[in-house]
Amino acid sequence: MKKKNLFVKISDQFIDTFKWLFDFKDWKMLFRSIPGTVTALFVVSVVVMNLMASKTIIMTNPSWLGITGGLLISWIPFLCMDIVVKTYGAKGATKLNILGLIINLCCIGVFQLIATIQIGGSPDTYKSFDATFSQTWQIFVASSIAFVLSGISNNIINVSIGKLFKKNPDGKLAYMTRTYVSTALGQFIDNFVFTALAFLLFFKLSIGSTLGWTWLTVLGTSAFGAALELIMEAIFSPIGYKICKKWQREQIGIDYIKYCKSMEKRKDIGRIE
């Protein structure tokens, strides 16, 4: 009987998630509600971050640390996600993640197409352009997987920690704690999954080389990235907190939140968890 109940619970959760994912009214209301500046900053930073991830800018010897260019701006998407999670919930922020992923994939496709097409002229003239915008599949696949996993992890951890602050969930301490912890862990997951997949797995399988990366490099980079992200959060999270309070005062996103709560009353998925 217990096995049946567990199966039914998992089945219902899967069905609810499917409904939420393909609820196009939810998508439309969400992105009408999130101020365009935040959405634009998130999407642009994701595209640029993945372009910059193609270059390793620091590699220590012995190789305990490797830094890609993408790490320098990877804190921006997490800052945007923290703001969106606080106002719209983990599932709303996850849809922002999905939008960022889709736009990034479209941009990579366009970059690759432009880099491939060459009719007339000398191909040598555009070597620098091609090298910059033509992304290898190893980087492309690894960064996409890491982006989705770290984003979902960040959103869930953020909300879970917020629930611990029952007396003052909207206070500054609650906001700082949830953003610091979720961002540090999310950034660690992002760096670990990306570097492990791209260099230790995909490059090793495709060209027989890890390009100097080892498990020690992956762990060192992941830890360094989490620490760097934490520093950036400490600097910019007060701004994020002020933005959230301003949105709360101005009731930004209130129509979307009401819609989510109405869906919850219909015994649908917990939309704003």
Side-chain angles (χ1 to χ4, degrees):
M1 188 68 179
K2 289 183 179 180
K3 289 185 178 179
K4 183 179 179 181
N5 289 337
L6 179 61
F7 175 78
V8 171
K9 186 176 180 180
I10 294 174
S11 178
D12 288 344
Q13 185 65 32
F14 177 80
I15 293 172
D16 286 342
T17 302
F18 184 84
K19 288 179 180 178
W20 162 78
L21 187 60
F22 290 96
D23 184 348
F24 295 109
K25 182 178 180 180
D26 186 287
W27 282 91
K28 183 169 68 174
M29 291 187 69
L30 175 64
F31 290 109
R32 280 182 176 177
S33 298
I34 301 176
T37 303
V38 173
T39 302
L41 180 61
F42 178 81
V43 171
V44 170
S45 63
V46 168
V47 174
V48 175
M49 178 179 68
N50 281 279
L51 279 175
M52 299 301 101
S54 299
K55 181 180 179 181
T56 301
I57 58 177
I58 298 175
M59 176 63 76
T60 61
N61 188 16
S63 57
W64 61 273
L65 179 65
I67 304 298
T68 67
L71 184 63
L72 299 180
I73 63 169
S74 62
W75 58 272
I76 299 177
F78 281 90
L79 179 66
C80 293
M81 280 191 291
D82 290 337
I83 296 171
V84 174
V85 168
K86 182 64 182 74
T87 304
Y88 300 92
K91 294 183 177 73
T94 298
K95 282 194 170 179
L96 179 64
N97 271 78
I98 295 172
L99 176 69
L101 176 65
I102 292 172
I103 294 178
N104 183 53
L105 296 180
C106 291
C107 289
I108 290 174
V110 172
F111 295 155
Q112 192 67 47
L113 179 64
I114 295 173
T116 302
I117 297 175
Q118 178 65 54
I119 302 174
S122 174
D124 294 338
T125 306
Y126 303 103
K127 278 186 176 181
S128 297
F129 178 91
D130 295 345
T132 301
F133 293 99
S134 181
Q135 201 169 55
T136 62
W137 69 266
Q138 296 93 334
I139 298 294
F140 160 68
V141 175
S143 63
S144 298
I145 295 173
F147 177 73
V148 172
L149 291 179
S150 64
I152 293 175
S153 300
N154 175 82
N155 301 336
I156 293 174
I157 294 170
N158 191 305
V159 170
S160 298
I161 294 174
K163 290 179 179 179
L164 299 177
F165 292 84
K166 299 184 183 299
K167 290 185 177 180
N168 190 15
D170 295 327
K172 193 171 185 178
L173 177 61
Y175 181 84
M176 297 303 177
T177 303
R178 60 193 288 174
T179 56
Y180 289 173
V181 177
S182 64
T183 300
L185 293 175
Q187 182 64 46
F188 183 89
I189 293 170
D190 184 37
N191 288 326
F192 183 84
V193 173
F194 168 68
T195 53
L197 287 179
F199 298 103
L200 299 187
L201 181 62
F202 295 152
F203 276 117
K204 180 66 175 178
L205 291 176
S206 58
I207 65 175
S209 171
T210 63
L211 303 179
W213 287 73
T214 65
W215 279 111
L216 182 61
T217 320
V218 169
L219 290 171
T221 299
S222 302
F224 179 83
L228 178 62
E229 192 77 15
L230 194 56
I231 293 172
M232 301 308 293
E233 276 291 334
I235 296 172
F236 291 102
S237 58
I239 298 175
Y241 176 71
K242 288 182 179 180
I243 291 174
C244 289
K245 298 299 286 185
K246 182 174 183 291
W247 287 3
Q248 191 177 38
R249 289 194 304 271
E250 297 177 357
Q251 293 191 319
I252 291 176
I254 190 66
D255 291 337
Y256 175 75
I257 294 171
K258 286 180 179 178
Y259 171 74
C260 290
K261 288 182 177 179
S262 72
M263 295 301 290
E264 289 177 347
K265 290 179 180 177
R266 298 178 199 177
K267 297 182 179 180
D268 198 353
I269 195 166
R271 295 296 181 102
I272 55 174
E273 291 182 354

